[in-house]
């Protein structure tokens, strides 16, 4: 079974549990909070804010992709909820975590303004572009590769280098 099938089962099971709890979102929020805390820790904790951006982005890309591939079910759940209808309670449950991720990425690029020049609001574009590229890559790889597949380090570094080519050109 591919990664998307298992994520679909996980999502379906989560919705059944929610339905059993009369649609209360507390259980979903607790699950998302736990999973996002681990994701945030793996991606952002221990990063040297003074490190050059060209050294930092490959590390972040590697941790981001590893989390998405190693925790496919929770990652796919978060992505599917984020792309659900905005008035949906499930979307409202995941929105704070997606906003936190976005703000962390914006801060990352803002902190690199000395290396990247006057940002003029581009830190938001960079944050969207970088996370969007990583999210799309994980979604495609999870559909193509079997559970347990590990993306080679060279591939994760190439993703970051391709992105940096755009911001440094």
């Amino acid at each position: 079974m591919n990664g998307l099938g298992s994520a679909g089962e996980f999502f379906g099971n989560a919705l059944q549990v929610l339905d059993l709890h009369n649609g209360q979102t507390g259980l979903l929020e607790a699950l998302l909070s736990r999973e996002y805390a681990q994701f945030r820790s793996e991606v952002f904790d221990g990063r040297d804010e003074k490190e050059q951006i060209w050294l930092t982005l490959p590390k972040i890309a590697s941790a981001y992709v590893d989390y998405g591939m190693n925790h496919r079910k929770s990652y796919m759940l978060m992505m599917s909820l984020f792309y659900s209808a905005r008035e949906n309670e499930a979307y409202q449950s995941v929105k704070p975590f997606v906003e936190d991720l976005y703000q962390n990425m914006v801060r990352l690029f803002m902190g690199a303004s000395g290396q990247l020049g006057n940002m003029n609001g581009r830190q938001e574009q960079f944050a969207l572009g970088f996370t969007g590229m990583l999210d799309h890559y994980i979604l495609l790889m999870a559909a193509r590769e079997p559970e347990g597949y590990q993306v080679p380090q060279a591939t994760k570094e190439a993703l970051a280098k391709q992105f940096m080519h755009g911001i440094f050109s």
Side-chain angles (χ1 to χ4, degrees):
M1 176 180 300
N2 69 30
L4 290 178
S6 61
E9 289 173 17
F10 180 76
F11 182 62
N13 290 339
L15 289 178
Q16 287 175 352
V17 169
L18 286 174
D19 189 47
L20 290 174
H21 287 86
N22 297 321
Q24 294 177 358
T25 58
L27 182 61
L28 178 60
E29 289 170 357
L31 172 69
L32 292 172
S33 180
R34 184 190 74 207
E35 294 300 322
Y36 181 70
Q38 183 178 353
F39 171 77
R40 188 175 196 254
S41 174
E42 291 180 21
V43 173
F44 293 108
D45 286 0
R47 300 286 176 242
D48 181 358
E49 293 183 17
K50 296 183 185 344
E51 185 175 58
Q52 297 291 310
I53 193 75
W54 60 272
L55 293 172
T56 300
L57 287 181
K59 292 175 185 176
I60 288 186
S62 182
Y64 198 111
V65 169
D66 285 347
Y67 181 88
M69 294 300 288
N70 293 332
H71 302 90
R72 288 184 190 193
K73 292 176 183 177
S74 61
Y75 177 83
M76 294 295 182
L77 175 63
M78 288 179 30
M79 288 292 100
S80 64
L81 295 176
F82 183 65
Y83 288 105
S84 64
R86 300 301 182 245
E87 62 278 355
N88 186 318
E89 286 181 12
Y91 169 79
Q92 296 301 321
S93 295
V94 79
K95 183 180 177 186
F97 306 111
V98 175
E99 281 292 322
D100 184 73
L101 170 62
Y102 171 70
Q103 292 303 323
N104 275 291
M105 287 294 186
V106 168
R107 279 190 294 277
L108 170 74
F109 287 107
M110 195 63 186
S113 62
Q115 302 163 52
L116 300 173
N118 187 350
M119 296 300 274
N120 289 325
R122 290 181 301 153
Q123 68 273 13
E124 295 175 358
Q125 294 171 357
F126 292 164
L128 288 170
F130 191 57
T131 56
M133 175 194 66
L134 295 174
D135 288 335
H136 196 74
Y137 181 80
I138 294 166
L139 292 172
L140 288 175
M141 293 308 292
R144 291 181 185 166
E145 300 297 340
E147 197 80 32
Y149 174 78
Q150 295 297 305
V151 176
Q153 186 62 31
T155 301
K156 294 178 281 190
E157 290 172 4
L159 286 168
K161 286 179 184 177
Q162 181 63 40
F163 180 80
M164 288 187 286
H165 177 73
I167 65 175
F168 285 117
S169 60

